Amino acid sequence: MSILIYAESAEGKFKKVAFELASYAKKVAQTLGTTVTAVTVNVADTSALAQYGVDKVLKVSNDKLAKFNARAYADVIKHAAEKESAKLILVSSTTDSLYLAPLVAVSLNAGYASNVVALPESTAPFLVKRNAFSNKAFTITEISTDVKVLAIAKNSFGIIESASSPAEEDFTPTLNDADFDIKVENVEKVTGKVTIADAEIVVSAGRGLKGPENWGMIEDLAAALGAATACSKPVSDLGWRPHSEHVGQTGKPVAANLYIAVGISGAIQHIAGINSSKVKVVINTDPEAPFFKVADYGVVGDAFDIVPKLTEKIKEFKAQNS
Amino acid sequence: MKILVCISHVPDTTSKINFANGDSEFDTNGVQFVINPNDEFGLTRAIWFKEKQGANVTVVNVGGPETEATLRKALAIGADEAIRINAVPTDGFFVATQLAEVIKNGGYDLVIAGKESLDYNGGMVPGMIAALIGGNFVNSCINVEVDGNNAKVTREIDGGKETLSTTLPLIIGGQKGLVEEKDLRIPNMRGIMTARTKALTLLEPVAATHNTKTVKFEKPAPKSAVKLISADNLDELVNLLHTEAKVI
Ligand SMILES: Cc1cc2nc3c(=O)[nH]c(=O)nc-3n(C[C@H](O)[C@H](O)[C@H](O)COP(=O)(O)OP(=O)(O)OC[C@H]3O[C@@H](n4cnc5c(N)ncnc54)[C@H](O)[C@@H]3O)c2cc1C
């Protein structure tokens, strides 16, 4: 059962999730005694994949694919899978990969499981553990088709180095004109700031901050940590922060290594969005705030006092450890 | 314009999630079911089209008789008619196959599904429908405008948003942003009364495979208690984050 991964990139560089995906694939390949092939789109230098155990790289270079296009990219992956006779196709859980994965699955008559959080529990039958019920539970899902597509949840496996010397091959899949029936008119990206989707650390604040004028200290803490900023739903509803920062069940999911929640009560809908973050720190005046029940570390106290101090401590720590 | 809104019937967000029969089944005891929040945004957008540009709005659900209350609620909010496909929705591909059949026979211009349903969080039904019928498809959709046969669609991307242009028929996987939360409708008395007179068509499922199956449910392991750190000792917090949690 050979394994194909779609190694996602942006502006010609692999995203970090691509390395996590390769690490996961390598581990499954070792269990099954098979190899890992990566398919890449418009990445000139693919050598970075050699650090994570990839055995072969199919390089697609095509100007028509300069902008992400779910149907065309799904076609690329489908053709790569057929060429490699891949039985297992892995993608990351970025917005783009979650867009194309169901298209790939249908075109290959493959069963598809998203939000996969661990290595397969068994490969015959093929059983994977996935997040469900907004991270309040897991399901063990059996995929019964010959070909399988999995989307691996971010930060659920980690990056494991394993050197290899992949063979590189240029690959030119045939694309359909119909693939380009949807045209990108405009892209607006937040630049120069760590975004929630890419962040390893997220500093988030809630209504406890009293008003938008107090967010300076949250931004300072985030800057000291190289973190993204986020907020609870009422904060974005009140217009204190942009909607793109709202995390939770109806907002964005956060699967960071460290989530710092300042003045957020910890309502179930908020927790649903951050549950898959590894380490949670809570700063809240109310020792009864529900957030303390799910946190790893907590400080009971006033954010206006604690956050600036913590920022100083982090800066000192960084100065000593860099 | 003919719009189809796919409605998933899911546990209310505050529901406690429990399992029965040796963790092989979802325990519906005491669980309140609602229209999947992502679908509710889509339904409201569909009603907006109906009021602003003229549209006929059909809602559809794949589910047992217990989901009819959810469909009636969608009718009370303003949908014109409802379809229930009489089958237990055990797998996303099975559901997508049923919906694709309805779409093929219904001649819809716009199909709105939620980008994921908040029970199994599969995130696969809208894309699979699109692949099955070969339609134009935009996922994580936060705005859609239609002018004649042309559509302008905005989707969320990691770290921003992207605007796309395409033509009908179109399938979207929608989410918050399609309408503002304050614009979500709640059924009023008149809506509830008229919903009773609207058609709810029952269809039997077409044959389809189940590619995946949930064999077991698990709950996360109980968490160890939070470590409280004194506000006067933030050095300790930094130290623990570095040496114990290894996150900085
Ligand atoms: C269908 C539905 C979906 C929802 N989806 C989401 C979602 O996706 N995301 C989300 O966040 N919410 C969501 N909610 C809302 C959720 O239920 C809560 O209302 C919300 O998370 C509360 O936000 P908050 O903690 O910022 O505010 P509050 O509940 O007002 O809590 C503020 C906290 O700040 C603390 N505090 C006050 N002053 C200070 C201080 N000086 N220093 C430190 N701490 C202080 C207080 O003790 C309190 O714990 C949803 C609700 C519904 C019904």
Side-chain angles (χ1 to χ4, degrees):
Chain A
M1 187 202 265
S2 89
I3 301 177
L4 179 78
I5 64 166
Y6 165 47
E8 212 178 306
S9 56
E11 276 133 36
K13 287 217 159 51
F14 291 116
K15 293 187 182 170
K16 212 173 145 193
V17 286
F19 302 139
E20 184 175 26
L21 197 62
S23 308
Y24 182 102
K26 175 71 184 173
K27 197 81 193 167
V28 181
Q30 281 169 341
T31 318
L32 294 169
T34 184
T35 57
V36 179
T37 300
V39 58
T40 68
V41 179
N42 293 336
V43 183
D45 176 6
T46 61
S47 58
L49 291 174
Q51 268 167 275
Y52 308 98
V54 170
D55 301 291
K56 182 173 175 184
V57 181
L58 295 180
K59 289 176 71 163
V60 177
S61 313
N62 186 338
D63 287 345
K64 284 175 94 176
L65 301 175
K67 283 186 181 136
F68 176 78
N69 171 326
R71 213 196 271 181
Y73 277 50
D75 262 354
V76 167
I77 297 169
K78 173 195 176 215
H79 291 304
E82 283 171 349
K83 175 176 152 55
E84 294 293 300
S85 310
K87 299 284 190 215
L88 187 60
I89 295 131
L90 305 178
V91 303
S92 301
S93 48
T94 61
T95 305
D96 286 353
S97 285
L98 293 177
Y99 185 0
L100 61 79
L103 307 179
V104 174
V106 170
S107 69
L108 290 168
N109 291 318
Y112 168 48
S114 60
N115 285 324
V116 173
V117 292
L119 289 169
E121 297 206 342
S122 130
T123 50
F126 195 90
L127 298 176
V128 282
K129 183 171 179 167
R130 47 183 307 283
N131 259 328
F133 298 98
S134 302
N135 298 328
K136 284 187 269 186
F138 303 106
T139 68
I140 307 298
T141 298
E142 177 176 346
I143 308 182
S144 48
T145 47
D146 186 29
V147 181
K148 300 159 184 78
V149 177
L150 308 183
I152 311 299
K154 189 186 161 214
N155 278 340
S156 61
F157 187 72
I159 292 180
I160 299 169
E161 293 206 9
S162 156
S164 60
S165 33
E168 280 196 4
E169 196 179 302
D170 288 326
F171 178 52
T172 319
T174 338
L175 301 173
N176 297 323
D177 287 344
D179 287 350
F180 299 92
D181 281 352
I182 300 182
K183 292 184 184 55
V184 177
E185 299 286 341
N186 182 33
V187 181
E188 279 174 56
K189 270 208 160 192
V190 192
T191 48
K193 253 185 93 178
V194 190
T195 62
I196 294 176
D198 299 326
E200 294 303 320
I201 303 179
V202 173
V203 180
S204 190
R207 200 147 54 179
L209 253 77
K210 317 276 189 290
E213 66 281 5
N214 298 324
W215 246 262
M217 64 180 189
I218 298 298
E219 279 169 350
D220 290 346
L221 177 57
L225 286 162
T229 53
C231 68
S232 67
K233 180 169 169 294
V235 164
S236 74
D237 286 349
L238 287 161
W240 297 356
R241 298 299 286 180
H243 275 299
S244 56
E245 287 195 5
H246 155 200
V247 308
Q249 185 165 54
T250 49
K252 286 206 169 62
V254 176
N257 278 329
L258 171 61
Y259 186 80
I260 303 181
V262 184
I264 301 179
S265 57
I268 193 163
Q269 298 92 351
H270 188 86
I271 301 301
I274 60 109
N275 241 343
S276 33
S277 291
K278 286 245 159 63
V279 176
K280 296 150 204 130
V281 175
V282 172
I283 299 169
N284 199 307
T285 40
D286 175 9
E288 301 298 320
F291 222 131
F292 285 110
K293 292 206 175 60
V294 299
D296 300 281
Y297 304 102
V299 186
V300 178
D302 190 342
F304 293 91
D305 165 41
I306 293 165
V307 173
K309 278 195 203 151
L310 182 59
T311 307
E312 285 316 307
K313 301 281 181 200
I314 295 282
K315 282 186 186 159
E316 282 168 27
F317 169 82
K318 293 266 169 177
Q320 282 162 15
N321 288 273
S322 62
Chain B
M1 180 160 59
K2 275 188 83 174
I3 305 177
L4 182 72
V5 185
C6 307
I7 301 278
S8 179
H9 163 90
V10 301
D12 169 33
T13 57
T14 54
S15 302
K16 291 258 182 303
I17 302 298
N18 289 307
F19 305 110
N21 283 340
D23 288 337
S24 67
E25 272 171 34
F26 175 61
D27 183 359
T28 56
N29 250 327
V31 173
Q32 175 91 21
F33 282 84
V34 296
I35 300 177
N36 180 42
N38 287 317
D39 307 349
E40 204 179 348
F41 292 113
L43 174 62
T44 311
R45 188 66 188 174
I47 306 299
W48 181 93
F49 276 118
K50 177 176 159 175
E51 290 169 357
K52 294 283 188 302
Q53 295 179 210
N56 179 279
V57 179
T58 303
V59 289
V60 60
N61 166 265
V62 180
E66 69 284 359
T67 70
E68 287 195 1
T70 298
L71 284 173
R72 286 275 174 221
K73 184 174 170 200
L75 291 171
I77 287 171
D80 300 291
E81 52 191 291
I83 301 170
R84 178 169 72 81
I85 300 161
N86 190 24
V88 179
T90 47
D91 161 41
F93 180 70
F94 175 84
V95 172
T97 308
Q98 304 308 327
L99 295 172
E101 191 67 16
V102 170
I103 295 161
K104 274 183 221 155
N105 298 328
Y108 298 98
D109 305 293
L110 180 63
V111 176
I112 306 179
K115 76 160 181 182
E116 70 175 2
S117 66
L118 298 183
D119 47 4
Y120 291 86
N121 304 102
M124 63 178 92
V125 168
M128 287 186 166
I129 296 172
L132 287 167
I133 64 172
N136 289 331
F137 166 55
V138 177
N139 205 18
S140 306
C141 194
I142 52 173
N143 189 37
V144 55
E145 281 160 29
V146 175
D147 181 7
N149 197 37
N150 297 315
K152 194 169 230 184
V153 187
T154 308
R155 76 169 180 112
E156 189 171 274
I157 55 176
D158 290 338
K161 57 185 181 181
E162 184 178 84
T163 306
L164 307 146
S165 66
T166 188
T167 52
L168 304 180
L170 171 68
I171 296 144
I172 63 175
Q175 62 178 60
K176 182 185 167 187
L178 275 180
V179 294
E180 290 300 321
E181 193 146 336
K182 63 174 172 37
D183 296 326
L184 289 175
R185 308 284 176 96
I186 30 174
N188 57 25
M189 194 40 93
R190 201 171 148 254
I192 294 166
M193 298 306 284
T194 52
R196 292 194 186 148
T197 63
K198 290 179 180 172
L200 198 161
T201 308
L202 189 63
L203 297 178
E204 288 308 316
V206 294
T209 55
H210 298 260
N211 292 340
T212 63
K213 159 170 103 189
T214 298
V215 292
K216 205 173 150 239
F217 296 92
E218 274 178 20
K219 289 233 215 164
K223 250 199 61 37
S224 50
V226 58
K227 264 193 196 165
L228 287 181
I229 292 138
S230 154
D232 301 326
N233 196 5
L234 295 174
D235 282 319
E236 183 180 357
L237 177 60
V238 174
N239 186 32
L240 285 169
L241 290 177
H242 180 59
T243 54
E244 187 178 76
K246 298 189 169 49
V247 287
I248 59 170

